[in-house]
Amino acid sequence: MHANDIAFGIEIETHMPGHDRTPIGGYHNGLPVSWLPEGWKAERDGSIRTPAGRKPCEFVSPVLRGREGLENVETAVDTIKERGARVNESCGLHITISWNGGLGPTDFLDRQP
């Protein structure tokens, strides 16, 4: 198995400055974020508690693969931070991983290179 055989996606829960104009879509109905790499969306998440003057925002990646995907995440995280996003104890990070080939979870973990 190679890194490009593994697909992943990431969801980053944050809170943004109240004056930020990033369009934020509904829960599971994100809107494209023009200042992030192609395919990233912003959506609401009711579990994020925000300090005064801030608004909740979950950034959701497109399906990513391999080194290019990791570089995409690194660029997105740096840009999100520069835009003023912050996290607190109510924020989380979710990663979804999938692969082809019929391997089960224990087969994948036990497999030798």
Side-chain angles (χ1 to χ4, degrees):
M1 180 177 296
H2 300 283
N4 286 335
D5 296 333
I6 301 170
F8 66 96
I10 187 168
E11 299 174 357
I12 306 168
E13 295 176 354
T14 70
H15 53 84
M16 299 291 289
H19 61 79
D20 185 83
R21 294 179 141 344
T22 301
I24 301 172
Y27 183 64
H28 287 254
N29 193 24
L31 296 175
V33 180
S34 62
W35 48 267
L36 285 177
E38 186 176 349
W40 283 80
K41 295 182 178 184
E43 63 183 48
R44 300 205 186 292
D45 186 316
S47 69
I48 303 170
R49 294 186 310 277
T50 59
R54 313 260 320 159
K55 59 185 176 183
C57 181
E58 180 175 53
F59 293 98
V60 180
S61 78
V63 174
L64 302 166
R65 293 181 185 277
R67 177 184 293 269
E68 185 177 306
L70 293 174
E71 290 170 352
N72 184 300
V73 171
E74 185 176 21
T75 298
V77 168
D78 289 346
T79 306
I80 289 167
K81 286 171 35 180
E82 289 170 6
R83 188 76 178 209
R86 300 292 179 262
V87 298
N88 59 26
E89 67 282 348
S90 73
C91 297
L93 175 75
H94 307 122
I95 301 172
T96 302
I97 300 172
S98 64
W99 62 89
N100 294 326
L103 297 175
T106 56
D107 293 328
F108 181 73
L109 294 174
D110 294 337
R111 191 170 179 185
Q112 298 297 315

